[in-house]
């Protein structure tokens, strides 16, 4: 009789993360691996943004989208990894409800931005390859601005709804989040009231992003591959085009597949071990942010040439500074 009022009137306002408790003895190794991944994300994406910003030949819609993707990847990893490292290294695993909701919003908001940017990049390549004569008319500054507004409005409206619904829940049982960051379903599982609306919202996110973005991306790359393979006379060029398209698709499908399973495992009560679900929730954010600079940077000829040009310019400037004092003395 005494527990009922407590359950109705009390709700936790602070939570603690349970980040890979089965690997507690090896948490230093985990922290080192995640720290190295964090450094590679910061370095790779920062260098790519710097190259695109400095090289005038790369000031086009495609490289603008790549630049935006790098910024989003850096921000989403920064949203979760520093806190994870503190949890693993120093057991600083507490977070307030407000802090949890803020982290949840930015994690899912930035992930949804990445999804929309991948779709926009696929459409950009489709227009460039399949409609080359109309590319400049379609992919102009006005279209880029519309894409940016659409991306922001869709992500902000949907993720705000997700967070508002989560903030209205009462958490009167456990305050331990079985995750390394504030994932939506990991927090919702702790509620002691009905969560039907939250589960429905989680499914709506999958439908709005995965159900819309994946078909558009897949259709665009199939059309691109069809046009390139028909146009390429040499077998080496065909192989290169096929390899490029399949690499992009594989990375994108991994991002969407792992993200979808992570979301649906909570919404549909799919039995996945907590440790595996936590790892998947981290990997679907970390892997794309790590490999995107390689796929869209190192493997892109124009960006390699831009980096080489910057190195040559830097070397020339250094050489001129060394030579100038000598000339002055003579």
């Amino acid at each position: 009789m005494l527990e009922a009022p407590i359950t109705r009137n009390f709700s936790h306002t602070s939570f603690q993360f349970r980040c890979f408790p089965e690997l507690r003895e090896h948490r230093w190794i985990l922290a080192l691996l995640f720290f190295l991944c964090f450094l590679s994300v910061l370095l790779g994406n920062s260098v790519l943004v710097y190259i695109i910003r400095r090289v005038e030949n790369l000031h086009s819609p495609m490289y603008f989208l790549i630049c935006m993707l790098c910024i989003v990847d850096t921000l989403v990893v920064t949203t979760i990894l520093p806190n994870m490292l503190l949890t693993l290294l120093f057991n600083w695993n507490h977070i307030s409800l407000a802090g949890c909701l803020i982290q949840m919003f930015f994690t899912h908001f930035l992930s949804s931005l990445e999804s929309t940017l991948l779709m926009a990049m696929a459409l950009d390549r489709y227009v460039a390859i399949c409609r080359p004569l109309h590319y400049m008319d379609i992919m102009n500054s006005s279209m880029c601005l519309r894409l940016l507004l659409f991306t922001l409005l869709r992500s902000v409206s949907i993720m705000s709804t997700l967070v508002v619904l989560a903030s209205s829940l009462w958490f009167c049982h456990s305050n331990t989040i079985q995750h390394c960051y504030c994932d939506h379903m990991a927090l919702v599982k702790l509620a002691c009231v009905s969560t039907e609306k939250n589960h429905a919202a989680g499914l709506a996110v999958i439908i709005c992003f995965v159900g819309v973005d994946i078909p558009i991306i897949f259709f665009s790359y199939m059309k691109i591959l069809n046009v390139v393979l028909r146009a390429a006379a040499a077998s080496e060029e065909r192989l290169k085009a096929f390899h490029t398209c399949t690499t992009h698709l594989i990375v994108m499908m991994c991002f969407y597949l792992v993200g979808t399973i992570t979301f649906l495992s909570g919404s549909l009560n799919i039995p996945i071990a907590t440790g595996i679900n936590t790892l998947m929730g981290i990997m679907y954010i970390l892997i794309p942010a790590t490999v995107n600079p390689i796929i869209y940077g190192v493997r892109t000829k124009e960006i390699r040439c831009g980096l080489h040009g910057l190195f040559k310019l830097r070397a020339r400037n250094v050489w001129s500074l060394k030579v100038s004092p000598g000339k002055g003395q003579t």
Side-chain angles (χ1 to χ4, degrees):
M1 294 294 291
L2 294 175
E3 292 180 358
I6 296 174
T7 304
R8 281 197 300 267
N9 298 325
F10 173 77
S11 180
H12 290 290
T13 56
S14 65
F15 299 86
Q16 59 181 356
F17 298 113
R18 199 159 183 260
C19 187
F20 300 114
E22 59 275 7
L23 299 176
R24 185 173 180 80
E25 295 180 359
H26 309 287
R27 66 184 186 277
W28 292 95
I29 298 174
L30 275 178
L32 178 61
L33 292 175
F34 284 131
F35 178 71
L36 292 175
C37 288
F38 188 38
L39 284 183
S40 68
V41 169
L42 293 178
L43 181 62
N45 288 283
S46 299
V47 168
L48 200 49
V49 169
Y50 177 77
I51 294 170
I52 293 171
R53 193 175 69 86
R54 289 295 303 271
V55 180
E56 290 188 10
N57 293 338
L58 301 180
H59 294 176
S60 65
M62 181 181 79
Y63 296 106
F64 169 75
L65 292 172
I66 292 175
C67 187
M68 292 298 297
L69 184 68
C70 291
I71 293 171
V72 168
D73 280 338
T74 303
L75 289 175
V76 70
V77 171
T78 305
T79 302
I80 65 168
L81 266 200
N83 196 53
M84 272 181 54
L85 292 173
L86 291 175
T87 299
L88 290 170
L89 292 174
F90 307 109
N91 204 30
W92 294 356
N93 58 353
H94 286 79
I95 190 169
S96 65
L97 177 59
C100 184
L101 293 172
I102 290 171
Q103 188 187 55
M104 181 197 300
F105 172 77
F106 280 106
T107 302
H108 295 313
F109 166 70
L110 292 167
S111 297
S112 65
L113 279 186
E114 179 161 359
S115 174
T116 312
L117 285 170
L118 291 173
M119 179 184 68
M121 289 167 63
L123 288 173
D124 174 81
R125 291 300 82 204
Y126 167 76
V127 175
I129 294 172
C130 302
R131 299 286 188 272
L133 298 178
H134 304 285
Y135 179 76
M136 295 308 298
D137 295 327
I138 297 173
M139 296 302 297
N140 51 33
S141 57
S142 176
M143 178 58 71
C144 289
L145 184 60
R146 289 178 199 168
L147 280 173
L148 183 61
L149 288 175
F150 167 74
T151 300
L152 292 173
L153 286 174
R154 184 174 75 152
S155 297
V156 167
S157 58
I158 293 174
M159 295 309 164
S160 295
T161 304
L162 205 69
V163 172
V164 168
L165 287 174
S167 67
S168 65
L169 296 174
W170 284 75
F171 307 98
C172 42
H173 296 317
S174 174
N175 70 333
T176 301
I177 298 174
Q178 301 290 338
H179 215 296
C180 295
Y181 63 89
C182 278
D183 178 68
H184 173 249
M185 289 312 303
L187 180 66
V188 168
K189 283 180 181 178
L190 303 180
C192 51
V193 292
S194 175
T195 57
E196 289 182 5
K197 291 181 180 179
N198 303 85
H199 288 284
L203 290 173
V205 168
I206 297 298
I207 294 169
C208 287
F209 289 96
V210 178
V212 173
D213 295 358
I214 281 186
I216 293 174
I217 291 171
F218 189 77
F219 169 80
S220 299
Y221 273 98
M222 289 301 102
K223 292 292 288 184
I224 291 169
L225 198 57
N226 183 46
V227 169
V228 171
L229 291 180
R230 274 200 277 176
S235 59
E236 185 177 340
E237 290 181 3
R238 291 186 179 187
L239 184 63
K240 183 180 178 181
F242 179 78
H243 187 259
T244 300
C245 289
T246 51
T247 303
H248 287 193
L249 278 175
I250 288 170
V251 173
M252 289 180 186
M253 291 307 109
C254 287
F255 168 74
Y256 283 110
L257 179 63
V258 177
T260 301
I261 293 173
T262 303
F263 253 80
L264 290 180
S265 64
S267 298
L268 301 180
N269 294 320
I270 299 174
I272 298 178
T274 302
I276 295 175
N277 190 55
T278 301
L279 182 63
M280 290 172 65
I282 297 169
M283 288 297 104
Y284 102 92
I285 290 174
L286 198 55
I287 290 177
T290 306
V291 302
N292 280 342
I294 299 172
I295 293 174
Y296 299 109
V298 177
R299 290 171 53 85
T300 304
K301 182 181 178 181
E302 291 79 5
I303 290 180
R304 289 202 307 270
C305 291
L307 179 61
H308 182 64
L310 288 176
F311 272 126
K312 286 178 66 176
L313 180 63
R314 179 71 175 172
R316 195 180 303 122
N317 291 338
V318 171
W319 176 254
S320 64
L321 287 173
K322 288 182 177 179
V323 172
S324 294
K327 287 182 177 180
Q329 290 171 3
T330 58

